[in-house]
Structures are given as structure tokens and as C-alpha cells.
Amino acid sequence: MGKKQSRMKSRSNIAELEQAKEMIEVRARQQAAVSELGQRALAVTDLSTLMNEAVVLLAETLEVEYCKVLELLPDGTALLLRAGVGWKAGSVGHATVSVGADSQAGYTLLSRGPVIVEDLRTETRFSGPPLLHDHSVISGMSVVIHGRESSFGVLGAHTTRRRTFTQDDIHFLQAVGNVLAAAITRTRAEEVLRASEARYQSLFNGIPVGLYRTTPGGQFLDANQALVELLGYPDREALLAINAVA
């Protein structure tokens, strides 16, 4: 092998090593971002706050201009831009996207899997919604945010540059979508539980006969308004507090 060929091979090996190193660093940043969002999901109780943090984290980690969370409206007719970064002022909370196969988000919902677009200008599977064309989007990817019974919506990342997203990129996007899905499922379950508790408390307090619940050891857990009045306490909290001290 001549000196020239040896130098060329050496440069090629260095380039491959640099590329491999860069890929490892990118993957590490993505994993760290998912871990950070997962921790935030445990601490944040407001879904809007978590979604806003998720799209900002996605945009920074993937180095794209636009990210979005699209929520499927209750009647299933469209997807609402629930959270986003990079979009024109007034878009978040108002802009909607078709659920049909003519939009990337609608196609993603129908396909139930990740969708990658290298060039929206030559895309043949769908035409792309005005939201993407109005922002000169060229490349992007999207995944479904799954729910327990039905899909919550779609998570997407887009750029005005032609870009080939990797499998690591799509796995990262799906991982963020899974964090959001888990948080949404948990929050909705908590809302159902609170609503059920409120209905029970309303019925419990509405019964004119004094009723109470206790622990196996006989300590009051709950008392209705009729019992509070019968025993002469100023309110339910006072009855339970005195019982706890006793």
C-alpha cells in the first residue's frame, strides 16, 4: 500500500471514529433528556407545564426549530396544538390539524407508528397541513401519544432544513411521547378518583342520618354532616381532630 493510500485510509478511520463518538454523545444527551423529563413528570402536576417543558427539551436536544403536542379533540374531528415551540404567535391553543390522512399528524394516528418525513415538498403519503407549510417545514418526524383507551394525540418535531432523522432520533421522540402518555394517564386517573370521591362525599353528607367510617381500631376516618350536628361539633374537621387526639 502506497503512502497516499495509507494516509487516505488513516483519515477515513479517524472520520469514522469521530462519527461514532458523535453518535454516542448524541445518544447520551437524548437519554439524559428523557431521564430529566421523567423526573419532572413525577414532580409536576399540571399537564400543560409538563407538555411545554417537553417540547422545549425536544427542540433543544434534537436541534430543530419546531416541536408540538397535538391533542385529539373530544369529538375526534381535529387535533389541537396544545403545546409547542417555534410556531407563530397565537398558534398554540388555537391552531388545529386535520385527523385525516392528508396531514402528517392524521397519518401518524392512522398508522399507529412513527412517521418520518425527509422532504415534505416531495412527500406522497400526505400533503401536509397548513401549519407545516406556513412555517416552511421540510423535514420532520411524529409519533402517537398513546392513551389507556384511545390515543391522546401526536408528538412531532420539525425543521426547515432537509434532514435525515436516525432511528435513535425517533426512539428519543417516542420515549418522550411515552413519558407524556404515562403522565396523562396518571393525571386522568387522579381526576376520575377525585370526582368519584366528591360524588361520594356529596351523597354521604346528604344523608339525614348520622353516619361515620372508622379504622379497624375504631378511629374515625370520616363523618357526615348529620353526625357532626348530632354530636354538637362546629364542623367535621373538629370532630375528626378531637377523635385523633383522643
Side-chain angles (χ1 to χ4, degrees):
M1 181 184 295
K3 292 182 178 180
K4 184 176 180 180
Q5 289 179 315
S6 179
R7 287 196 298 269
M8 290 177 62
K9 184 176 181 180
S10 178
R11 284 196 294 267
S12 176
N13 290 339
I14 292 173
E16 290 176 0
L17 287 173
E18 289 295 328
Q19 185 179 18
K21 180 181 177 182
E22 183 180 352
M23 290 178 63
I24 291 172
E25 291 174 349
V26 168
R27 190 177 301 116
R29 288 198 301 271
Q30 292 177 350
Q31 291 173 345
V34 172
S35 177
E36 178 184 343
L37 186 65
Q39 292 297 317
R40 291 292 297 149
L42 295 175
V44 175
T45 57
D46 180 63
L47 281 179
S48 294
T49 299
L50 182 63
M51 290 178 187
N52 289 331
E53 292 180 358
V55 291
V56 170
L57 193 64
L58 272 173
E60 292 176 349
T61 307
L62 289 171
E63 298 181 342
V64 296
E65 302 95 311
Y66 306 109
C67 283
K68 66 178 188 291
V69 173
L70 295 172
E71 179 181 3
L72 186 62
L73 294 177
D75 61 6
T77 60
L79 289 150
L80 173 70
L81 182 58
R82 174 75 180 272
V85 62
W87 311 102
K88 294 177 181 177
S91 296
V92 176
H94 297 90
T96 57
V97 173
S98 167
V99 295
D102 57 321
S103 73
Q104 181 174 344
Y107 185 87
T108 304
L109 277 179
L110 292 172
S111 66
R112 303 288 296 173
V115 174
I116 301 175
V117 176
E118 287 199 12
D119 195 330
L120 190 60
R121 298 166 298 185
T122 57
E123 178 60 56
T124 58
R125 294 170 296 177
F126 40 81
S127 59
L131 179 67
L132 298 185
H133 288 297
D134 290 347
H135 289 83
S136 302
V137 165
I138 293 178
S139 298
M141 54 181 178
S142 51
V143 296
V144 177
I145 302 175
H146 297 283
R148 178 170 293 178
E149 297 178 357
S150 60
S151 299
F152 174 82
V154 172
L155 180 65
H158 308 274
T159 177
T160 57
R161 310 182 307 276
R162 184 182 175 91
R163 174 171 169 180
T164 301
F165 290 100
T166 67
Q167 282 300 311
D168 285 338
D169 292 334
I170 198 69
H171 289 158
F172 171 53
L173 185 67
Q174 186 66 73
V176 172
N178 292 343
V179 171
L180 290 178
I184 292 166
T185 299
R186 185 187 70 248
T187 300
R188 288 182 170 178
E190 291 171 351
E191 289 173 351
V192 170
L193 183 61
R194 284 194 296 269
S196 177
E197 179 63 23
R199 286 194 298 271
Y200 161 78
Q201 203 63 48
S202 177
L203 291 171
F204 189 61
N205 283 325
I207 296 174
V209 177
L211 297 174
Y212 62 89
R213 293 187 300 162
T214 68
T215 65
Q219 186 174 356
F220 278 115
L221 287 175
D222 201 2
N224 70 351
Q225 188 60 33
L227 183 62
V228 171
E229 294 174 357
L230 179 65
L231 297 178
Y233 286 93
D235 52 41
R236 172 177 170 274
E237 286 69 25
L239 171 59
L240 297 178
I242 291 173
N243 177 72
V245 172

